[in-house]
Amino acid sequence: MPPVPEPSTPDPVGGPVESSRRDAPALRGAGRKGPKRLPRRAAAGRRSFTATLRSLDELAASGARVSVRIDDLDGGSTEVLSGDDFITLPVGGLGVVPLLIEAAAAFETGRLDPLEIVDRASVHGAAHGGIWQHLKAPALPLADVAMLAASSGDALAVNALLHRVGLQSVRARVEQLGLRRTALLDRFRDDRGPDDAPHLALSTAREMAQVFAGLVNSTIVSPQVSAQVAEWLSLNHDLSLVASATGLDPFAHENDQHGLLFINKTGRAPGVRAEAGVLGGPRAGISYALIVNFDDLSIAHRLRAHDAFRVLGVELMEYVY
């Protein structure tokens, strides 16, 4: 990737993220048990991201815009790998994470009732993806709507949650978290006209990686809010990109028998693939984010982008194991 001058910006998400050894109510504990951790010196040869860098360089050379960030949480959120991680790019449904944070904060303070019933007939429709549009149940509690938005990227659920939470509230929360290059711009739409926002959301790899680190370290808004959002995201079904290397069951991976701690969120749009998350194994814990914007001209172009995510996943597994 060609070098880009990096602007000077303060740490987002309210300051540096603490070590992931601190317990988070929903995620820490049994999640990191497993085989004895290898000595760091003995495992140093396995801590390389050479294949990832080569894959991302090839993508960039083909005209794609690439942004990546990996932080070692056990080292106090020490940077492991970065490449143009400060550049703001479209991230598709990954930009829903700030909405989930604001929804959880509103539930905690009582501004919203998690059992409030939401009728999907009152919400702007979107056939972008999800299962609620295919269910017979015409209405769901707001907490279930948030769970659908997090676990399956359900477009109708995202629109319903955004309608109740409010776009201005989400923007205020983003600002409060210190995310200077992250924005949820709009709801899901089947067609974007000239008067609509050009993208659902924008962000950077650096800020997304730091948000996920904050969630497992209980530093996003409050320990309760962090735990609630992390719990929702732990149900995410999309393990087809970076997470494909984990071997986890897409439909049941909250308590992995091999000691993997994992939460993630993906984003997809025409020419956009993005993923951020936290992966913890017996030897290390990391937060990561990878954003790729590419010309989706053919299946080959799309598969080349997907391959880069999977290469990163393999090397992340080598890092934590």
Side-chain angles (χ1 to χ4, degrees):
M1 290 172 287
V4 179
E6 179 176 356
S8 176
T9 56
D11 289 330
V13 201
V17 180
E18 298 177 13
S19 167
S20 68
R21 295 184 185 277
R22 174 180 176 180
D23 288 348
L27 293 175
R28 288 300 179 189
R32 288 287 295 280
K33 293 179 181 178
K36 185 178 179 181
R37 181 173 300 189
L38 294 174
R40 291 186 182 273
R41 180 179 301 175
R46 293 166 53 187
R47 292 174 164 263
S48 168
F49 288 90
T50 304
T52 296
L53 289 172
R54 181 167 57 248
S55 179
L56 296 181
D57 282 342
E58 290 173 357
L59 271 181
S62 72
R65 304 184 69 189
V66 179
S67 178
V68 63
R69 175 77 177 214
I70 303 170
D71 289 327
D72 187 323
L73 302 182
D74 288 341
S77 198
T78 303
E79 177 187 324
V80 173
L81 177 69
S82 65
D84 291 348
D85 62 333
F86 56 88
I87 294 179
T88 304
L89 295 171
V91 294
L94 178 56
V96 171
V97 174
L99 171 61
L100 297 173
I101 293 171
E102 179 58 17
F107 291 166
E108 182 186 38
T109 60
R111 287 186 289 115
L112 287 178
D113 181 0
L115 298 182
E116 175 188 340
I117 300 299
V118 178
D119 191 332
R120 69 185 175 197
S122 65
V123 180
H124 292 290
H128 179 82
I131 62 173
W132 192 14
Q133 60 186 319
H134 303 294
L135 298 180
K136 298 299 183 182
L140 291 172
L142 200 53
D144 289 351
V145 171
M147 185 273 292
L148 276 179
S151 64
S152 66
D154 193 295
L156 187 57
V158 169
N159 287 355
L161 190 63
L162 183 59
H163 176 72
R164 287 298 296 118
V165 172
L167 188 56
Q168 292 304 317
S169 294
V170 177
R171 289 173 175 171
R173 179 63 63 185
V174 167
E175 183 176 353
Q176 183 267 326
L177 292 173
L179 303 175
R180 298 176 178 272
R181 296 175 178 272
T182 296
L184 180 61
L185 302 177
D186 197 12
R187 59 179 173 85
F188 277 110
R189 299 176 183 269
D190 291 332
D191 298 295
R192 292 197 174 274
D195 295 329
D196 301 322
H199 302 286
L200 174 75
L202 303 171
S203 192
T204 69
R206 178 188 297 177
E207 291 191 345
M208 282 293 99
Q210 289 178 324
V211 165
F212 274 81
L215 289 174
V216 299
N217 287 332
S218 303
T219 61
I220 298 295
V221 183
S222 71
Q224 293 73 26
V225 168
S226 296
Q228 178 62 85
V229 177
E231 180 181 351
W232 286 333
L233 292 172
S234 73
L235 303 174
N236 182 31
H237 296 166
D238 188 1
L239 305 188
S240 62
L241 297 176
V242 172
S244 65
T246 64
L248 292 169
D249 183 344
F251 307 108
H253 56 267
E254 305 98 292
N255 296 295
D256 177 61
Q257 63 179 337
H258 298 301
L260 275 182
L261 163 70
F262 184 71
I263 65 171
N264 79 318
K265 184 74 178 75
T266 57
R268 299 170 185 266
V272 175
R273 294 295 185 271
E275 180 171 341
V278 166
L279 178 63
R283 190 161 57 86
I286 55 89
S287 64
Y288 69 91
L290 175 59
I291 306 167
V292 178
N293 289 184
F294 61 101
D295 292 328
D296 197 359
L297 301 177
S298 69
I299 291 295
H301 287 77
R302 186 181 302 169
L303 293 179
R304 182 166 53 191
H306 285 201
D307 284 344
F309 284 88
R310 291 163 184 158
V311 170
L312 173 61
V314 169
E315 295 197 317
L316 289 177
M317 284 293 288
E318 292 175 349
Y319 191 94
V320 303
Y321 256 88

